[in-house]
Structures are given as C-alpha cells and as structure tokens.
Amino acid sequence: IGIHLLAAWLAYWLCRDRGLGRGASIFGGLAFSLSGWLGTATWPQMLNGAIWAPAVFLFLLRAVEGRRPLPSSLLSGFFLGLAWLSGHHQAPIFLTLASLLVWGWSIVRRGKMTLGLVLIFFTGLVLTSGLQTVPAIEYGRLAVRWAGMPQPTGWSEKVPYIVHQGMSLTPQGVLGLAIRGAAEKVGLFVGITILSLAAFGVMGGWREPWVRCLVAVGAFGFLIALGTYTPVHGLLYAVLPIVEKARTPAVAIFIFHFGLAILAACGIEHLLERQSTQFVRWSGLTLVGISAAVFFAGLLAHALQKDAAAQSVWITVFAALAGGCLWLAFDRQAISRGWLITGLVTMMLTELTVGGLIPILPSRHAPGRARLIDALAGAPDLVAFLRGQPRPFRVNVNDQDVPFNF
C-alpha cells in the first residue's frame, strides 16, 4: 500500500509542477498508481524501480526547459538512482533509456550546452545508486543466471534474444489496454476512461513541448515493450550494454502507462478550461463514441470467449456512455467541476476494479487466495529435510509438483 501511495503522490507532484489543477492531478496520481503494469505487478522490488518515473521526469523536464538546470539535473539523476536502489534492474534500465531519449532530444535542440547537464545527471545517478549497483556488478561477475534457457548465462554472456522474444508484448496483446485478459505477458489494462482523457490531453495540449515530450517517451516505452516485433528493441539490444539483461521487454510498458496517466490529467485540465465550447462537446463525445464502437465491435468476438474479458467489454461500453454523459452535462453547466472530476475518478476505479486491478480490494479470505500458503504449511517433511542439509546448498524444484516457494 505504501508503494502505491508513494507512486500516486509522485505523479500528483509532477502534474502540479506542470500547472495542472488539484482535481486533475489527483486523477493522474491515481491513474499512474492503480492502472496498467503498476496496478497489477506483485513484485515489490520491480514496483520500487518503476514508481520513481514521475520524479525523474519532473526534474528532467525542468532541466531541459532551463528552470534551475543544474540542481534539476542533479535531482533527476538522484531519483533515477533511487530507482536503481530497488533491488531489480529491469524497470530502472527502461527508465534510464527513456531519460536518455529526452537528453538526446535536448542535445539536438541546444547542442553542447546540454552536455554538462547530462554529466551532472549521471553524477547524481552514480552516487545515489552505487550502494546497489557497485556490489551488484561485483556479484554479477561471480554469479550465473538462469534466464529462460536450459543452461545458465554468465556476466559476459548476453541473454539470448529468443528469451526476449518470448517475453515481448504481442501485437494482439495491445488490445489489453481496453480489454482485460487480451495481453498475456504483462498487465496492460487501463480502461477507456484513461485512454479517452489521454487522447484529449494530447489534442488539447499538443502545442506544449512537455506534452509532446511525454508522447514521445510513452511511444518509446511502447515500442520497447513490443520487443522483437519492432526493430527498436533489437537495435538497443545489439548496441547498448546491460539492455540485454532486461529479459522481459514487455515490462517497458510502464513507461507508456506513466505517459498515459499524466496526459489523462492534462486532458481533464483542458476539458475544465474549455467549458461551453463546441470543441469540448463534439471532440469528447466523438472520441468516446468512436473508442467504444471500435473496441466493442472489433474485440467482442475475442472477448466473449472468456467470461472476465466479456465482462470487461461491457464495462468499457458502460464507461464510454457514462463519460459521454458527464462531458455533456458539464458542457451544459448541469454539474460542477468537482462533480465532473469525481465522476471521472469513479469511472476509472470502476473499470480497474472490474478489470481485476486495485489488488487492495479483494479479500484475503477469498477461496484460493491462500492456496500456496496452505500447501507450504502442509509440507513439514520437506521443511525438515531442507533444514537438515549442510549450507550453502542449491535445490532444483519442479514447480508443477511444488508450486510454493521456500
């Protein structure tokens, strides 16, 4: 719970720094914390590497905009260093690549002036992350890793690309953004509310450089997540060191989800600013209507094969219709700004709850939730055997027979 609260607060902080109102910022914080990959991943060490994305980009955007560039560069590197302290390398690798994309864009625009800021950025990164990365490098040179192949790989050996291929987001899995269960490798679901508001944020804020920057960053994360289905990941795998150690390209989708959440907050802000205009009325209703029609007509045949996915389709249609009603009511001044934001938050949370996210809500007493703990408690003979072995030792386990983890 603490991890998700911190993620929401950091995203809220970024939204406020971008000039968005409190209501829109609260929505952005909740969207980042509870939807997509961040809302479904259950590994604390991976979550802890991803939640710092808003803080990294808060100060990175300040630096490239020239707002106190020296301390901003240092603080951006500091927060990226905190991501590396998480204990898992995957999310920090992808977050570092996204940061390098923005720095590269700044170097192209401003030339050599940016190089000094990049050096300060990496100084903050190295000094903060060293407590984790230096011993990890030392350990990595001595250890071997089972990364999905029958034989382990050493530090100097690349994780075979075929492993990355099996861990990539598939093109058909992209449907999982709106239909629960369509994506197999990674939690992708965000719902029509976030998608529609993010699209509206792009439409209304395209003139803002930071909006275009977040669009580029999100698209970059999306292309990496597709892994072997695009040349982007293969090029990074071949050219940059350490990238090949992140064997699950699909995890990079959290960069895309991060961009969606902030852009959705931006969409709410533009909706509030442009009250009583034809643009809000027709753009909002058309966007939601088209989204609902496309997802409903194009994906219903696939989704109805699974009860959970079919349920997700219907809640998507409901959310689209509710969104259209909210937009129309606000345009006609039938509801206030506060009620509009409350309605949008409720729609988002409803979609995420039906979509199987928000893991805080299900009861721990629900049938099947404690099956692994019960199985572990029922194996005292295995516990006694393992405790009797001289240490250190390694055990190979068939997880089909022993699904729990000692």
Side-chain angles (χ1 to χ4, degrees):
I1 295 175
I3 294 173
H4 285 279
L5 286 173
L6 180 57
W9 180 74
L10 291 172
Y12 172 87
W13 187 19
L14 172 59
C15 291
R16 294 291 288 164
D17 186 73
R18 294 291 100 192
L20 305 183
R22 292 185 183 276
S25 300
I26 290 173
F27 184 96
L30 292 173
F32 175 65
S33 177
L34 298 177
S35 71
W37 182 85
L38 209 64
T40 55
T42 55
W43 301 279
Q45 71 276 22
M46 290 193 181
L47 288 174
N48 283 331
I51 63 173
W52 299 101
V56 171
F57 280 94
L58 186 152
F59 290 102
L60 182 52
L61 289 172
R62 284 186 181 185
V64 298
E65 290 171 349
R67 295 168 53 191
R68 304 185 66 191
L70 296 181
S72 295
S73 301
L74 185 64
L75 285 170
S76 180
F78 165 75
F79 283 111
L80 183 56
L82 289 184
W84 278 98
L85 289 178
S86 63
H88 199 283
H89 59 281
Q90 197 149 243
I93 285 177
F94 297 135
L95 188 53
T96 302
L97 292 176
S99 301
L100 291 177
L101 176 70
V102 177
W103 280 121
W105 169 71
S106 180
I107 290 173
V108 171
R109 289 184 60 203
R110 300 191 176 186
K112 296 181 179 180
M113 293 176 58
T114 308
L115 293 178
L117 300 180
V118 175
L119 180 61
I120 295 174
F121 169 81
F122 275 104
T123 299
L125 166 61
V126 171
L127 292 178
T128 307
S129 68
L131 292 171
Q132 172 71 42
T133 53
V134 172
I137 291 173
E138 180 182 0
Y139 169 71
R141 297 183 184 279
L142 301 173
V144 293
R145 178 188 182 195
W146 276 260
M149 298 294 288
Q151 299 300 322
T153 58
W155 176 265
S156 59
E157 300 173 283
K158 282 190 173 185
V159 175
Y161 202 56
I162 191 172
V163 175
H164 293 258
Q165 182 176 5
M167 298 292 184
S168 298
L169 175 67
T170 61
Q172 62 268 30
V174 175
L175 305 178
L177 284 169
I179 302 298
R180 179 167 70 100
E184 299 177 354
K185 304 298 181 182
V186 67
L188 202 65
F189 184 79
V190 295
I192 200 69
T193 304
I194 294 176
L195 288 173
S196 299
L197 289 171
F200 194 75
V202 174
M203 293 165 56
W206 186 251
R207 295 180 181 273
E208 297 286 343
W210 70 269
V211 171
R212 298 197 298 270
C213 179
L214 284 183
V215 170
V217 167
F220 181 67
F222 189 83
L223 291 175
I224 296 179
L226 287 170
T228 58
Y229 294 95
T230 73
V232 175
H233 179 265
L235 181 62
L236 296 173
Y237 173 94
V239 174
L240 296 180
I242 305 298
V243 172
E244 47 86 17
K245 305 297 183 191
R247 64 169 181 159
T248 310
V251 171
I253 200 66
F254 86 87
I255 301 289
F256 177 72
H257 287 147
F258 158 67
L260 273 183
I262 307 305
L263 291 172
C266 182
I268 292 180
E269 191 68 19
H270 283 284
L271 178 65
L272 296 176
E273 289 177 353
R274 307 179 76 158
Q275 186 175 358
S276 300
T277 66
Q278 291 291 331
F279 178 81
V280 169
R281 180 183 305 158
W282 296 113
S283 295
L285 292 177
T286 301
L287 180 62
V288 174
I290 291 177
S291 300
V294 169
F295 284 117
F296 180 70
L299 310 180
L300 185 59
H302 165 79
L304 287 178
Q305 296 175 7
K306 302 177 182 179
D307 292 340
Q311 195 177 37
S312 181
V313 169
W314 291 113
I315 200 64
T316 297
V317 175
F318 165 77
L321 293 175
C325 293
L326 281 172
W327 260 319
L328 186 61
F330 179 73
D331 180 65
R332 295 185 175 181
Q333 300 183 356
I335 60 175
S336 65
R337 298 162 61 101
W339 280 113
L340 173 66
I341 295 174
T342 301
L344 292 174
V345 170
T346 302
M347 284 169 50
M348 174 183 67
L349 296 180
T350 300
E351 284 194 89
L352 297 181
T353 303
V354 175
L357 278 74
I358 313 185
I360 299 170
L361 296 182
S363 170
R364 65 184 179 89
H365 301 293
R369 292 207 31 110
R371 62 184 180 84
L372 295 182
I373 296 177
D374 293 339
L376 177 61
D381 53 337
L382 291 180
V383 174
F385 172 77
L386 290 174
R387 283 180 172 169
Q389 303 306 306
R391 298 173 183 268
F393 62 91
R394 183 181 182 91
V395 178
N396 290 324
V397 177
N398 182 345
D399 58 11
Q400 299 301 313
D401 298 329
V402 187
F404 48 88
N405 191 329
F406 283 99

